[in-house]
Each structure stands twice: as C-alpha cells, then as structure tokens.
Amino acid sequence: MRRVMRCVGVWVGLLLASTATAPAPPAWAALPPPAREERVPAIARAWPVGVRPLVLRGWQPPATVYGPGHRGVDLAASPGAPVRAVAPGRVTFAGRVAGRGVVSVQLTGTNLRTTYEPVSPSVRKGDTVGAAEVVGTVEATGSHCSGTCVHWGLLRDDTYLDPLSLLPPWLLHRGPSRLLPVLGVPA
C-alpha cells in the first residue's frame, strides 16, 4: 500500500509541476474577434469600377481573427476595365501576391487602407493618387469569382471592415424617388 501511495504522490507531484511550468498560450490566441460596428467615415468619391457596379458578394466579417468570412466585397468588372482609387491617398503596395496583382492605398488623413485585386497596377509604391484616379486595370485571370471581378477590401490597421461603408449615401444608393407629372392624361 505504501508503494501505491508513493506512486500516486509522485504522479500528483509531476502533474502539478507540469501545469506550473506549462508555456503560456501565444499572444494571438487571446485576440478578440474583429469589431463588427467600427465607424468609418464616408469619404469615398468614386466606386473602384464603373458607376454603380453589381456587388457579386458582400462583406461577411469572420467570427474570429482567423475564421472564415469574406473580408471585402466583389464587384462585377470586365477584364481590362479601369480600377480607380475611391478616395485620395498614397500607394503603399503595387505588385503581385499569390499570383494576383494587388494595389493598396493608404487613405489621406485616416488610418484606413483600401485594397484592390486582381489588378494590373499602373501606379507604384509611394505614388500619390486622387479620388477616382486610375490605379490599374482588371486582370483577366486570378479572380476568385466565377467570372471576373474586383475584390475591394478595407482595413483599419489589421482589422478588416466593410468597404461599402466608405461610400456616402449619394454614391451608394440611387437617391429618393421623384414623382413626375403625367402629361396627356385628363385629371
């Protein structure tokens, strides 16, 4: 019986020692999920492509930092179509990532950064761009859409946000309906 008790004592001691010296979890494991309702100023002055492109897939924030989601919006676009900066800023990246052309623009006076892909860049890192200025053209391949599209992203530091929130109401919506007089109809 003493031998059994000694064995149990040794195992309990080892167990306590191992939990006391266990390494701390990595810092990223404790990060909170991305904020869902962060305020974004509606500073955009143009859509990245077209006048009012069709949104093929909307923004779906991930539940956790590395969880599934859609960290931007996909806008319908034809290959070769111009891609424009939505607001003034400075190009922080123009090149290829994982085989796709990417342009990233730090928006002036903010901590916001927009990304556009797949884009064949016509700008270089460090260039200053104005609102609606062309930053490249839509590449025919490399899109994750079923056809061709532009994936438009928005980040504040390392947190992804809904890029449509950059658009003021007059760009995002068609505006209020207006009733016009009907001519030639008796009253």
Side-chain angles (χ1 to χ4, degrees):
M1 183 69 168
R2 271 188 193 188
R3 191 171 181 182
V4 171
M5 292 303 289
R6 186 179 290 164
C7 245
V8 169
V10 168
W11 281 108
V12 168
L14 286 172
L15 180 63
L16 289 173
S18 69
T19 58
T21 60
W28 57 263
L31 290 176
R36 296 188 187 276
E37 294 296 324
E38 291 201 41
R39 291 256 179 221
V40 173
I43 59 173
R45 295 293 169 253
W47 282 89
V49 289
V51 176
R52 259 187 204 92
L54 177 64
V55 177
L56 299 174
R57 185 173 176 198
W59 182 68
Q60 298 167 324
T64 63
V65 176
Y66 298 107
H70 192 238
R71 293 160 174 85
V73 294
D74 294 337
L75 305 173
S78 301
V83 178
R84 303 177 186 283
V86 297
R90 181 171 303 280
V91 177
T92 56
F93 181 83
R96 301 201 73 72
V97 175
R100 295 186 186 120
V102 177
V103 173
S104 182
V105 177
Q106 180 72 41
L107 303 182
T108 302
T110 71
N111 60 349
L112 300 171
R113 187 172 72 250
T114 57
T115 59
Y116 313 93
E117 68 169 280
V119 174
S120 180
S122 60
V123 292
R124 289 193 232 167
K125 181 178 179 179
D127 287 353
T128 301
V129 294
E133 187 173 329
V134 175
V135 296
T137 57
V138 178
E139 291 180 344
T141 60
S143 174
H144 63 267
C145 300
S146 58
T148 56
C149 72
V150 168
H151 179 83
W152 175 31
L154 174 65
L155 294 102
R156 174 178 283 135
D157 301 319
D158 291 330
T159 302
Y160 286 90
L161 303 168
D162 183 2
L164 294 177
S165 62
L166 281 174
L167 296 171
W170 60 271
L171 263 179
L172 190 56
H173 304 293
R174 297 196 190 290
S177 298
R178 290 185 176 87
L179 297 176
L180 298 175
V182 179
L183 302 175
V185 176

